Amino acid sequence: MINYPVQTESPPLILLKNWPNAQEDAYSVRKAVFIEEKGVPEDMEIDEFDSIADHALAYLAGQCVATARLVCLPKLSDSEGRAGSIGRIGRMAVLEPFRGHGLGRQMLEALIQRAKSLGIREFHLHAQVDAIPFYERAGFLTRGDIYDEVGIPHRDMILILSQDNH
């Protein structure tokens, strides 16, 4: 059950958790945002990537108000023939009363830092079209055409960090 609104002056607590430890809180936020607000079919919200993902959760006054996930996918090779991994960021959801206060940015930064600690420097995501400016501010670039994913217009985005980015 989600209680609104949480009033707090303290900064959010951002935690990274595996799926067994994140599932209850992450799903409550994703259900409110994706299923109830955006109309995503409930049977499509949980997928095979949740169990292998790192989940970022933002807490205010002990209540989870935002979530996102990082999935590490194998990269066959780059233009120079090097293998590696790609970080796919997704399922970014912030409860409506808490949007516009930097929670999404903080979760995105936490997931990018986690990926960098694993040696990942390339990130892909499927952005809802209305969220493209948010990801562009973080350095992501659009690529490809707009397409439909679960009834919502999306566009692929990518971010490649140089070895100098910390």
Side-chain angles (χ1 to χ4, degrees):
M1 183 71 179
I2 297 172
N3 300 311
Y4 296 108
V6 171
Q7 298 294 332
T8 180
E9 294 299 318
S10 57
L13 175 63
I14 309 289
L15 298 177
L16 292 176
K17 297 181 179 184
N18 62 18
W19 187 239
N21 293 314
Q23 183 173 0
E24 184 177 339
D25 288 343
Y27 184 73
S28 71
V29 172
R30 286 164 47 173
K31 181 180 179 187
V33 173
F34 296 129
I35 297 168
E36 295 169 5
E37 184 181 328
K38 304 259 184 194
V40 172
E42 189 167 5
D43 64 342
M44 297 182 77
E45 182 47 38
I46 304 297
D47 65 18
E48 69 275 15
F49 296 111
D50 279 314
S51 64
I52 62 170
D54 287 311
H55 298 265
L57 299 112
Y59 293 88
L60 289 171
Q63 179 180 338
C64 185
V65 299
T67 187
R69 74 178 185 191
L70 168 69
V71 178
C72 299
L73 299 172
K75 177 180 172 186
L76 298 177
S77 67
D78 62 16
S79 61
E80 297 175 10
R82 296 178 295 214
S85 294
I86 295 170
R88 184 188 310 160
I89 295 172
R91 297 302 202 272
M92 174 84 66
V94 178
L95 295 177
E96 196 277 328
F98 305 97
R99 293 179 192 152
H101 300 287
L103 290 173
R105 178 186 49 78
Q106 291 175 59
M107 288 190 311
L108 184 61
E109 288 172 2
L111 292 176
I112 289 173
Q113 287 304 315
R114 169 68 178 142
K116 286 168 57 175
S117 76
L118 299 171
I120 296 171
R121 295 283 186 275
E122 183 173 332
F123 301 89
H124 295 190
L125 56 85
H126 302 174
Q128 293 180 19
V129 170
D130 61 356
I132 288 173
F134 166 79
Y135 292 110
E136 286 177 330
R137 286 190 296 275
F140 282 82
L141 302 173
T142 57
R143 57 179 223 191
D145 295 327
I146 295 172
Y147 56 91
D148 180 276
E149 187 171 294
V150 295
I152 301 168
H154 282 72
R155 192 162 182 202
D156 289 345
M157 298 190 81
I158 188 168
L159 172 68
I160 300 176
L161 301 177
S162 70
Q163 293 300 325
D164 299 337
N165 292 82
H166 298 284

